[in-house]
Amino acid sequence: MNGMDCQGVRRMPWYLHPYFAAFLSGGAAIVSSLILKRADPHGAARVAAALLAVPPTAFLAWTFARWIRGLDEMQHRIVFEAVAVAFVLSIVGAVAMEGLQKAGIATGFEWEHAWEGMVFFYAAAYTWTAWRYR
Amino acid sequence: MDGVAVPVRNRLRVLRAERGWSQGGLAARLGVSRQTVNAIETGKYDPSLPLAFRIAATFALPIESIFHPDPDGDGVGR
């Protein structure tokens, strides 16, 4: 019915699924890191290697938005409640890490840890929000 | 008016059982997930107006015979 299965989710090809896009994005980030560390390119090649993960991550954002558009109204609410909770937790976490860095305590904190934290907060918030509506 | 939302009770589970439909079967008729049907039946989620109208049309009943205010607040039909 309308291309939806009994779960009310529009069927999507595997290559358009956010999980596959996340795999591509994560893989590109790893490859980028390896190239920069082992090959140590220069000039334009170095910039290209540094930005290698950007196109698959943009693709991930597109597949995620496409996935959200295929959800029903309650699933929309679950996703957006999870995003709202994750957003707030990320701000609180960032403020905490900023303070700890200024105090010289969390000196190993980098930008990459910020988005890893955001992904973790979203996954935790989504799990909790979906449980509330079980 | 104090602006406080009034919980809504529904008879979805009873009506579904009368027709011998599963939650998945009703979900397919409504174009939503089985999880959504379950959440409506257990009072954890109130459907939007368009979905409420689709539910009423599916059961061929007026909306008021399916959904009504729940002064006790548990949201489940009795």
Side-chain angles (χ1 to χ4, degrees), chain A:
Chain A
M1 181 178 183
N2 296 328
M4 290 183 172
D5 60 19
C6 63
Q7 294 300 315
V9 177
R10 210 171 291 277
R11 297 187 189 90
M12 73 170 63
W14 62 269
Y15 51 86
L16 294 180
H17 198 285
Y19 288 162
F20 175 70
F23 174 76
L24 285 182
S25 175
I30 292 172
V31 170
S32 170
S33 179
L34 289 173
I35 291 175
L36 291 172
K37 285 181 182 175
R38 298 190 179 177
D40 193 23
H42 299 283
R46 189 170 189 83
V47 175
L51 298 178
L52 191 63
V54 173
T57 303
F59 176 61
L60 171 60
W62 179 76
T63 60
F64 189 65
R66 189 173 182 274
W67 171 71
I68 288 177
R69 284 202 306 270
L71 300 177
D72 69 24
E73 57 182 60
M74 193 192 76
Q75 291 167 331
H76 275 147
R77 175 182 286 192
I78 289 174
V79 168
F80 289 124
E81 281 189 12
V83 168
V85 170
F87 177 71
V88 172
L89 287 178
S90 295
I91 291 177
V92 172
V95 169
M97 294 311 297
E98 180 187 5
L100 291 173
Q101 274 195 319
K102 287 179 180 175
I105 298 173
T107 55
F109 184 71
E110 305 287 347
W111 273 103
E112 62 198 63
H113 301 133
W115 73 260
E116 289 168 1
M118 291 170 65
V119 170
F120 171 77
F121 284 140
Y122 171 75
Y126 182 87
T127 302
W128 176 70
T129 307
W131 177 82
R132 285 180 57 219
Y133 288 98
R134 75 194 185 291

Side-chain angles (χ1 to χ4, degrees), chain B residues 34-62:
Chain B
R34 189 204 61 78
Q35 180 187 24
T36 298
V37 170
N38 181 67
I40 294 173
E41 290 183 355
T42 56
K44 288 190 169 69
Y45 177 73
D46 291 328
S48 67
L49 203 52
L51 179 56
F53 274 114
R54 288 210 305 273
I55 292 173
T58 298
F59 287 107
L61 293 170

